[in-house]
Amino acid sequence: MPCDRMEERKLIKRINQLKKEKNAVILAHVYQRPEIYEVADFIGDSYGLSKKATETNAGIIVFCGVDFMAESAYILNPEKTVLIPTTQAQCPMAAMVDVDGLRKLKHEYPNAAVVSYVNTTADVKAESDVCCTSANAVKVVNSLEEDTVIFVPDSNLAHYVMKNTDKKVIPWSGWCYVHRKFSPEGLKQAKALHVNAKVLVHPECVPEVVDLATEVFSTTGMINYVKKSPDKTFIIATEVGVVERLKQMFPEKVFFQAPPGGTCLQMKRTTLELVLEALEKEQFKVIIPENIRVRAKKALDRMLNVA
Ligand code: 13P
Ligand code: SF4
């Protein structure tokens, strides 16, 4: 066995031992490094992960993902210890909307409901009526009584929602640097090269890319679609982790990442070494002030009820 792989096996063994000793679970987003999957108790998209966080009996949740995901796990489970292995795993899109800006927009549209994508900070969630993820954004928006909806922070997901609702959607101007890179020209070329391929696109991509999709899905949505599909070839417009996961799960099928590809650097900051350190030292604890947590939980609970 190569030296690196031996080291990795040792780390995995130690992490698994500590998980048992400390009654901990590891929840991992699909964009994590493949070696993180090996210690994860659950791998999923942001919706699946928030749901799973409400179902576990473990005392400690080690969240391998980015800041807003670990925060959601804490908001839903304040009695548990929620750990994030690195404080550098911060989603840049979640930082694109702030409470002051959102309050100004609420003032401009006093009758609008505020829907915040889970890719937001806890204080923005607290200022919102309901949260959503890419797996349920359309369903959440359509479930509301209000005819106008302020949607933060992702303008591309807002655009996708607009196409699937009769409601008036007021988008914030945020975006994901990973998904924004996929271009319609690149995707058209890939489709010309692989004419029989089904094209699965994440709704954080720009509308011109979404328009070229066979289907639009969250990360787990893509995996479930491939599982059921008789098709053999797929072009995937989302972060490379999903492509790697699909190759691992369905070796008999062929997957191409849409050009020019994309890697979420913040997601890849979590390593096995940091997960081990997190369990050993019980660091870094995610804590949200109670007055914010309680209000943010209402928005998350409402999403979980609708979805
Ligand atoms: P999912 O909701 O598909 O997990 O996406 C989360 C995310 O951050 C995508 O960039
Ligand atoms: Fe944030 Fe984009 Fe990374 Fe998702 S892929 S965590 S939206 S930066």
Side-chain angles (χ1 to χ4, degrees):
M1 202 186 286
C3 202
D4 285 358
R5 190 64 194 147
M6 265 166 63
E7 258 322 295
E8 208 171 275
R9 294 308 324 161
K10 274 194 219 159
L11 283 167
I12 291 169
K13 198 169 162 205
R14 183 73 191 119
I15 290 170
N16 285 333
Q17 271 171 351
L18 271 179
K19 270 201 311 188
K20 261 199 205 139
E21 276 169 40
K22 297 199 171 199
N23 184 27
V25 280
I26 297 184
L27 305 185
H29 190 268
V30 199
Y31 294 165
Q32 290 291 290
R33 297 165 181 270
E35 60 270 26
I36 300 292
Y37 299 161
E38 297 195 42
V39 291
D41 297 281
F42 177 78
I43 304 164
D45 63 2
S46 39
Y47 172 66
L49 289 164
S50 20
K51 213 164 152 278
K52 207 73 192 171
T54 63
E55 293 166 358
T56 177
N57 292 321
I60 298 179
I61 298 175
V62 182
F63 209 108
C64 299
V66 284
D67 50 356
F68 71 83
M69 297 178 177
E71 284 180 8
S72 295
Y74 175 81
I75 290 167
L76 295 165
N77 296 281
E79 72 293 350
K80 296 192 197 304
T81 300
V82 178
L83 305 174
I84 185 156
T86 164
T87 53
Q88 291 183 345
Q90 294 181 3
C91 168
M93 179 163 67
M96 287 179 187
V97 56
D98 64 305
V99 172
D100 286 350
L102 178 54
R103 283 191 182 147
K104 270 188 203 142
L105 201 55
K106 281 169 80 168
H107 194 70
E108 267 179 63
Y109 297 94
N111 297 323
V114 178
V115 180
S116 68
Y117 193 24
V118 284
N119 301 43
T120 42
T121 53
D123 54 354
V124 167
K125 286 185 178 74
E127 204 59 38
S128 309
D129 293 296
V130 60
C131 291
C132 74
T133 73
S134 60
N136 56 36
V138 172
K139 198 171 176 183
V140 166
V141 168
N142 285 333
S143 75
L144 297 168
E145 274 175 21
E146 290 85 345
D147 295 325
T148 306
V149 165
I150 294 171
F151 192 97
V152 299
D154 187 11
S155 55
N156 292 320
L157 184 58
H159 199 279
Y160 176 67
V161 170
M162 268 180 225
K163 284 203 290 194
N164 291 283
T165 185
D166 294 332
K167 296 187 191 292
K168 179 174 176 176
V169 179
I170 316 293
W172 195 260
S173 57
W175 39 270
C176 161
Y177 76 97
V178 180
H179 288 87
R180 198 163 75 156
K181 274 200 278 184
F182 296 111
S183 70
E185 296 73 29
L187 192 47
K188 277 181 198 157
Q189 279 169 15
K191 282 174 79 157
L193 276 176
H194 312 290
V195 283
N196 293 322
K198 292 284 179 280
V199 181
L200 309 186
V201 173
H202 196 281
E204 285 180 16
C205 293
V206 298
E208 297 78 8
V209 167
V210 171
D211 286 345
L212 296 169
T214 314
E215 301 286 349
V216 181
F217 283 126
S218 73
T219 50
T220 298
M222 290 183 184
I223 294 170
N224 291 339
Y225 178 85
V226 170
K227 196 186 278 176
K228 288 189 198 138
S229 169
D231 292 291
K232 291 275 175 279
T233 312
F234 301 86
I235 299 168
I236 307 292
T238 192
E239 208 267 351
V240 66
V242 172
V243 183
E244 282 168 5
R245 180 85 180 130
L246 285 166
K247 284 182 180 168
Q248 204 182 58
M249 289 177 78
F250 308 102
E252 72 290 1
K253 301 195 180 200
V254 183
F255 302 96
F256 300 98
Q257 196 184 21
T263 301
C264 178
L265 300 177
Q266 290 72 17
M267 280 280 185
K268 307 301 187 210
R269 290 213 189 256
T270 306
T271 59
L272 285 175
E273 285 84 353
L274 290 173
V275 173
L276 179 58
E277 220 179 327
L279 274 165
E280 280 171 347
K281 299 185 183 163
E282 299 195 11
Q283 69 181 25
F284 296 93
K285 286 197 175 85
V286 178
I287 295 173
I288 308 288
E290 196 58 10
N291 60 332
I292 294 176
R293 187 195 71 77
V294 171
R295 289 161 57 223
K297 184 172 186 293
K298 271 194 196 154
L300 277 171
D301 279 343
R302 195 164 165 194
M303 169 189 83
L304 292 169
N305 285 336
V306 172

